[in-house]
Amino acid sequence: QVQLVESGGGLVQAGGSLRLSCAASGSIGSINAMGWYRQAPGRERELVARIISGGSTNYADSVKERFTISRDNAKNTVYLQMNSLKPDDTALYYCNADIQRIGLSIVNRYWGQGTQVTVSS
């Protein structure tokens, strides 16, 4: 079994910062990519940022220069540092990870339950 648990969401004023964390636990053999998605009310879930095991990253255009994704491979944890937050960043933020479980050859994508980020104007 594998679990992803997010933390760090909350309410912040426009221009402020938050740092999200997502820790993976369970029977983990290896983790390939890890990422953050978000979903605002009435909108589809969208990619925010993604980081692969080698450290390469990609970001949605709307968050470039403001958000930074990083990971601690020893802790199986991915982070999202969010600066200069805007009301449009308000959403439920989900992390995911592409994980190969111990003893299995396939890679599956796992999702966390989400953490709410609300940015007030």
Side-chain angles (χ1 to χ4, degrees):
Q1 191 73 305
V2 171
Q3 283 189 320
L4 271 64
V5 178
E6 301 106 333
S7 62
L11 173 64
V12 64
Q13 287 188 331
S17 298
L18 284 174
R19 188 189 193 215
L20 306 183
S21 300
C22 173
S25 63
S27 59
I28 297 170
S30 63
I31 301 179
N32 298 341
M34 303 184 81
W36 289 94
Y37 284 69
R38 67 186 180 186
Q39 187 167 19
R43 301 182 65 176
E44 294 186 354
R45 190 176 297 190
E46 62 175 0
L47 173 68
V48 177
R50 194 166 181 265
I51 183 168
I52 65 173
S53 57
S56 295
T57 59
N58 63 286
Y59 296 89
D61 288 342
S62 60
V63 306
K64 284 181 180 177
E65 308 301 329
R66 299 188 299 121
F67 291 9
T68 302
I69 189 170
S70 61
R71 62 190 281 178
D72 184 333
N73 293 327
K75 296 181 178 180
N76 292 332
T77 299
V78 63
Y79 305 96
L80 186 68
Q81 177 66 42
M82 304 186 293
N83 298 328
S84 302
L85 282 160
K86 306 174 181 180
D88 282 349
D89 295 318
T90 295
L92 190 59
Y93 283 70
Y94 299 89
C95 74
N96 69 16
D98 297 335
I99 295 174
Q100 182 176 9
R101 292 176 58 187
I102 295 172
L104 299 180
S105 59
I106 60 173
V107 175
N108 292 112
R109 176 162 292 182
Y110 296 86
W111 291 86
Q113 292 187 323
T115 185
Q116 179 67 38
V117 171
T118 303
V119 184
S120 63
S121 57

